[in-house]
Amino acid sequence: MKTERLLGIIMILLDRKQISAAKLAEIFEVSVRTIYRDITSLSEAGVPVTALPGVNGGIQIMDHYKIDKHFFTSTDITSLLIALESLSSNVSAVQANQTVEKIKTLVPAHLSEEIKLKSHQIAIDLTPWTRNQTLQPFLETIKSGIEKQQLLRFDYSDNQGKKTLRTVEPYRLVLKEISWYLQAFCLEREDFRTFKLSRISHLDLLAKDFTPREFHPTPLGKEPFYGKKWTTVTLKVTHRVRDQLIDKFGQLDFIETQDDDKTIVSFPFMEDDFGYHLLMGFGNQCECLEPNHVRDELKRRFEELLHIYQN
């Protein structure tokens, strides 16, 4: 990602007296144009980087410049290490580990043991329970398209199963819960769109650059929770389902029953496929007590499901 690349460029320039933009582009697998934009970003941030023209020219950093290790607190560096190590399961492990090692060079000697201890006190494991074999190659291809500013082409299936061919300018990858999304400008729709990676197939990186548009990242939310009406439902659930409801909706008011394994809870329910699939997924560990029309709809859906297996 750009932040890691900028830090990597600084480390290389501190280690070498001078290097060409073409060589940096080769190291970071981006275009020379992207490297020059990075150099501009570093200059604007106050890093004394210059680009010298000519055959013997190249990019260099002023001799007196160094990163002050005391600029970062132990909390700063701990937060960086936790965040980067949590990404290693979803991005290139080699890339993430290299960045972690670079961050560790910023650690003052007298804080190294403290930071090592703190960085192991919190672990963020973003790895899903089941592994999607096509996800990692897709992520790498999309990351390459974003960094090199090259078009992507893929088949996309909507929630009705309709498949369309899309050509897009990729701008941002988003991990929401266990699903990855691509925010991009769709040339077919002539507008920005968000694509769920699990609905993408036949993904190709095209050898065609694009000029970036003005992109404003938008928060990604579960569509059923926005702009629709909630219904309060009362459920009788097992303690296992209770834990799952707390994970999804936070602390709720649970009322104990005479059955030690069951509690009663009321919570906001969305009357659509997402909401009904959620309740049905709890199986015989959840009973909807009220309202009656939600209970009746659940019965109807379960009867349809049973009919499939009776034939």
Side-chain angles (χ1 to χ4, degrees), residues 169-305:
E169 301 170 358
Y171 288 93
R172 190 186 193 209
L173 274 167
V174 182
L175 176 62
K176 179 71 174 180
E177 291 189 343
I178 62 171
S179 299
W180 280 95
Y181 298 84
L182 167 64
Q183 293 182 328
F185 186 88
C186 178
L187 300 185
E188 282 74 24
R189 300 295 185 264
E190 297 184 345
D191 198 3
F192 286 96
R193 291 288 191 270
T194 297
F195 302 95
K196 191 172 184 179
L197 262 61
S198 61
R199 295 177 180 170
I200 288 177
S201 60
H202 305 106
L203 174 66
D204 291 312
L205 177 64
L206 304 183
K208 185 175 181 181
D209 297 341
F210 65 88
T211 301
R213 304 169 192 266
E214 186 174 355
F215 170 63
H216 300 285
T218 54
L220 194 64
K222 278 285 189 183
E223 185 178 338
F225 295 112
Y226 293 87
K228 295 185 179 181
K229 185 179 178 181
W230 296 87
T231 299
T232 299
V233 297
T234 302
L235 306 176
K236 181 187 285 188
V237 300
T238 64
H239 288 288
R240 182 182 297 178
V241 172
R242 170 180 174 159
D243 291 343
Q244 295 180 53
L245 290 175
I246 291 174
D247 285 341
K248 289 182 176 293
F249 301 102
Q251 289 296 329
L252 299 168
D253 292 327
F254 290 89
I255 302 172
E256 300 299 327
T257 66
Q258 293 181 347
D259 186 341
D260 292 339
D261 188 44
K262 299 286 180 65
T263 59
I264 294 176
V265 62
S266 296
F267 77 100
F269 172 73
M270 194 68 66
E271 293 190 52
D272 59 6
D273 283 342
F274 177 85
Y276 282 107
H277 289 166
L278 173 67
L279 296 187
M280 293 175 70
F282 296 139
N284 63 359
Q285 299 185 64
C286 171
E287 178 187 358
C288 176
L289 302 179
E290 58 181 26
N292 286 333
H293 74 275
V294 173
R295 182 181 174 92
D296 290 342
E297 176 61 16
L298 282 167
K299 288 170 60 178
R300 185 190 68 79
R301 289 175 180 245
F302 276 120
E303 287 170 356
E304 282 188 350
L305 181 61

Side-chain angles (χ1 to χ4, degrees), residues 17-296:
K17 199 163 188 179
Q18 185 172 295
I19 188 171
S20 69
K23 185 61 178 177
L24 284 173
E26 179 184 341
I27 292 172
F28 293 101
E29 298 182 342
V30 296
S31 66
V32 173
R33 184 174 59 180
T34 296
I35 293 296
Y36 280 120
R37 276 198 296 269
D38 289 342
I39 299 305
T40 300
S41 297
L42 290 173
S43 297
E44 291 174 348
V47 180
V49 179
T50 58
L52 302 178
V55 177
N56 297 319
I59 297 169
Q60 63 181 24
I61 195 167
M62 293 179 65
D63 291 339
H64 70 273
Y65 182 79
K66 64 178 182 178
I67 296 179
D68 184 358
K69 293 183 178 182
H70 298 286
F71 177 78
F72 295 97
T73 66
S74 62
T75 301
D76 292 334
I77 298 175
T78 300
S79 298
L80 286 170
L81 291 174
I82 291 172
L84 287 169
E85 289 174 351
S86 72
L87 288 174
S88 62
S89 60
N90 283 286
V91 300
S92 170
V94 174
Q95 179 186 11
N97 291 335
Q98 288 175 348
T99 306
V100 167
E101 292 305 313
K102 292 171 186 175
I103 293 292
K104 287 180 179 178
T105 65
L106 302 177
V107 179
H110 69 285
L111 292 177
S112 60
E113 286 302 316
E114 176 189 349
I115 290 174
K116 181 179 179 181
L117 175 63
K118 286 184 176 179
S119 64
H120 286 87
Q121 290 174 344
I122 298 176
I124 304 173
D125 187 354
L126 300 176
T127 308
W129 291 106
T130 55
R131 188 165 183 82
N132 183 337
Q133 297 296 329
T134 63
L135 178 61
Q136 193 62 42
F138 275 18
L139 288 175
E140 295 301 325
T141 299
I142 293 171
K143 282 170 53 187
S144 181
I146 294 173
E147 293 178 354
K148 296 178 181 179
Q149 296 175 351
Q150 291 181 315
L151 296 177
L152 298 172
R153 179 173 293 161
F154 51 80
D155 289 327
Y156 191 71
S157 299
D158 62 18
N159 56 9
Q160 302 298 318
K162 181 181 178 182
K163 187 174 291 187
T164 54
L165 180 64
R166 305 295 186 98
T167 304
V168 305
E169 301 170 358
Y171 288 93
R172 190 186 193 209
L173 274 167
V174 182
L175 176 62
K176 179 71 174 180
E177 291 189 343
I178 62 171
S179 299
W180 280 95
Y181 298 84
L182 167 64
Q183 293 182 328
F185 186 88
C186 178
L187 300 185
E188 282 74 24
R189 300 295 185 264
E190 297 184 345
D191 198 3
F192 286 96
R193 291 288 191 270
T194 297
F195 302 95
K196 191 172 184 179
L197 262 61
S198 61
R199 295 177 180 170
I200 288 177
S201 60
H202 305 106
L203 174 66
D204 291 312
L205 177 64
L206 304 183
K208 185 175 181 181
D209 297 341
F210 65 88
T211 301
R213 304 169 192 266
E214 186 174 355
F215 170 63
H216 300 285
T218 54
L220 194 64
K222 278 285 189 183
E223 185 178 338
F225 295 112
Y226 293 87
K228 295 185 179 181
K229 185 179 178 181
W230 296 87
T231 299
T232 299
V233 297
T234 302
L235 306 176
K236 181 187 285 188
V237 300
T238 64
H239 288 288
R240 182 182 297 178
V241 172
R242 170 180 174 159
D243 291 343
Q244 295 180 53
L245 290 175
I246 291 174
D247 285 341
K248 289 182 176 293
F249 301 102
Q251 289 296 329
L252 299 168
D253 292 327
F254 290 89
I255 302 172
E256 300 299 327
T257 66
Q258 293 181 347
D259 186 341
D260 292 339
D261 188 44
K262 299 286 180 65
T263 59
I264 294 176
V265 62
S266 296
F267 77 100
F269 172 73
M270 194 68 66
E271 293 190 52
D272 59 6
D273 283 342
F274 177 85
Y276 282 107
H277 289 166
L278 173 67
L279 296 187
M280 293 175 70
F282 296 139
N284 63 359
Q285 299 185 64
C286 171
E287 178 187 358
C288 176
L289 302 179
E290 58 181 26
N292 286 333
H293 74 275
V294 173
R295 182 181 174 92
D296 290 342

